[in-house]
Amino acid sequence: MSILWKRKDLVGLKDLEAEEIQLVLDTAKSLQEISLRPVKKVPTLRGRTVANLFFEPSTRTRVSFELAEKRLSADAINFTSAGSSTVKGETLKDTVRNIESLKVDLIVMRHPASGAPHRLAESLPISVVNAGDGINEHPTQALLDMFTIREKKGHLAGIKVAFVGDIVHSRVARSNIWGLTKMGAEVTLCAPKTLLPAQVEALGVRATSNLEEAIHEADVINLLRIQMERQSESYFPSIREYANNYQINRDVLKHAKPDVLIMHPGPVNRGIELSSDVMDSPYSVILDQVTNGLAVRMAVLYLLSGVRNRAAKKASVHS
Ligand code: CP
């Protein structure tokens, strides 16, 4: 398969073709070894400036993007809404227009409002990468999840992935559903009924509230945190009851395949969705996900900058 990346932005996996997802994963594979070199840097994005705009807390995604930019020799500027003029009432549009005036080449944005990066991408000539928007999508997380599964299992087609946890508030689940189903994987969602989205069949996935049923054939169990910060009402009686029914621990894993992979996008609430011993066991590939996220984000930045290179060359030929 040989295709060129043609998109200006990466705002979600909903609109991506399987070939485009494959291209990101293959590009990440080829960039993976850069981080193993004694000098972990290539000049690919030298002279380019990337603005990381984080209007919501983040550890993994923010650090991973910043390191990916450094590995590719881009200049990175980091903006977090806390401590910025956002707290003085500046609008998102004005904040971004000011940052754009600094002639940045690419924006990576996390925002609590679903659709915020999409609006930015429509209004700006530069590339925009969605680093998580509200409950909508988190495309680079799903790409790194798929990359990790492919690394561990060799392929994605036919792989059975069970998502367990707060599906309805999860942008990670939503991006994974779009991505995994396009790549031929089989997805099962498992949660109390109140935490399952409506009309899941339309998404091409199965849903159940029975944990044993969800995991017994799964090749991968991807756990999702209960997102207290996104819940305005109580979706289940108590965290303790949730953990009793849905926690992945040694006892529950007796019902799973012996080579099942345990994944989690982080941050993990140890002892709630996942027992501490399983989190630190050989089943867990959670830290591999973090490592792979770097190569995947390097691939995304590399592919998007290629589009800008070609557009700039075309413009100079026609001027
Ligand atoms: N997986 C993820 O998005 O983690 P952060 O919120 O720490 O970036």
Side-chain angles (χ1 to χ4, degrees):
M1 190 173 345
S2 171
I3 66 159
L4 273 179
W5 184 265
K6 296 193 184 82
R7 292 177 193 271
K8 176 176 82 68
D9 313 290
L10 178 66
V11 290
L13 299 193
K14 184 177 180 185
D15 300 323
L16 253 55
E17 304 292 335
E19 290 77 13
E20 293 174 293
I21 294 173
Q22 178 99 22
L23 178 62
V24 177
L25 302 185
D26 291 347
T27 306
K29 184 70 197 164
S30 69
L31 296 174
Q32 204 178 23
E33 58 84 26
I34 293 169
S35 294
L36 303 174
R37 294 179 190 174
V39 179
K40 302 173 177 59
K41 214 172 174 73
V42 290
T44 315
L45 295 189
R46 193 162 55 201
R48 302 295 182 88
T49 306
V50 182
N52 301 307
L53 312 185
F54 280 72
F55 294 85
E56 245 191 15
S58 169
T59 299
R60 282 144 289 269
T61 312
R62 194 169 56 78
V63 170
S64 181
F65 266 112
E66 192 179 338
L67 191 54
E69 291 147 16
K70 286 181 164 46
R71 292 271 197 267
L72 296 173
S73 301
D75 296 315
I77 52 172
N78 298 308
F79 165 96
T80 51
S81 49
S84 76
S85 292
T86 305
V87 295
K88 299 179 197 162
E90 187 170 66
T91 63
L92 168 63
K93 196 172 169 188
D94 283 336
T95 301
V96 171
R97 283 176 65 183
N98 277 273
I99 289 179
E100 196 202 356
S101 304
L102 298 171
K103 307 295 175 210
V104 302
D105 299 291
L106 192 147
I107 287 177
V108 174
M109 185 167 87
R110 169 169 291 190
H111 200 278
S114 297
H118 305 66
R119 281 204 294 282
L120 207 64
E122 282 160 16
S123 65
L124 293 180
I126 61 174
S127 295
V128 174
V129 182
N130 180 3
D133 65 318
I135 61 166
N136 182 38
E137 284 224 40
H138 192 348
T140 58
Q141 179 67 46
L143 288 164
L144 76 87
D145 290 346
M146 287 189 276
F147 185 89
T148 303
I149 296 171
R150 206 177 70 161
E151 287 285 281
K152 298 286 178 188
K153 298 288 184 189
H155 57 99
L156 287 167
I159 291 287
K160 294 181 169 62
V161 185
F163 287 86
V164 181
D166 186 354
I167 316 278
V168 79
H169 297 101
S170 175
R171 56 195 177 205
V172 173
R174 209 158 271 109
S175 280
N176 263 286
I177 290 168
W178 293 123
L180 284 165
T181 52
K182 284 172 203 217
M183 300 307 284
E186 294 174 32
V187 177
T188 299
L189 310 178
C190 178
K193 280 198 171 59
T194 48
L195 291 178
L196 285 171
Q199 298 173 327
V200 286
E201 290 77 14
L203 300 171
V205 302
R206 283 187 333 118
T208 175
S209 292
N210 182 311
L211 183 61
E212 239 179 79
E213 183 189 320
I215 67 166
H216 83 283
E217 283 190 347
D219 301 298
V220 178
I221 303 172
N222 199 335
L223 294 167
L224 302 168
R225 182 174 65 90
I226 299 296
Q227 301 197 30
M228 294 302 183
E229 72 276 22
R230 298 196 199 282
Q231 298 190 12
S232 53
E233 54 191 282
S234 191
Y235 286 78
F236 46 82
S238 70
I239 281 287
R240 192 167 157 181
E241 184 173 318
Y242 176 84
N244 281 342
N245 289 313
Y246 292 99
Q247 184 188 84
I248 296 293
N249 53 42
R250 292 270 177 194
D251 276 348
V252 168
L253 281 182
K254 287 177 188 152
H255 303 287
K257 287 184 173 178
D259 62 346
V260 71
L261 301 181
I262 301 295
M263 298 176 67
H264 195 305
V268 178
N269 289 320
R270 275 185 189 257
I272 299 178
E273 65 267 19
L274 180 59
S275 69
S276 220
D277 61 334
V278 172
M279 182 169 169
D280 300 327
S281 74
Y283 291 109
S284 168
V285 293
I286 295 171
L287 295 178
D288 297 281
Q289 288 173 263
V290 177
T291 304
N292 294 334
L294 179 59
V296 165
R297 290 179 175 119
M298 286 168 73
V300 167
L301 297 169
Y302 170 80
L303 291 169
L304 290 174
S305 72
V307 173
R308 296 264 295 156
N309 272 336
R310 285 196 297 280
K313 271 189 195 145
K314 209 168 160 186
S316 70
V317 166
H318 294 295
S319 64

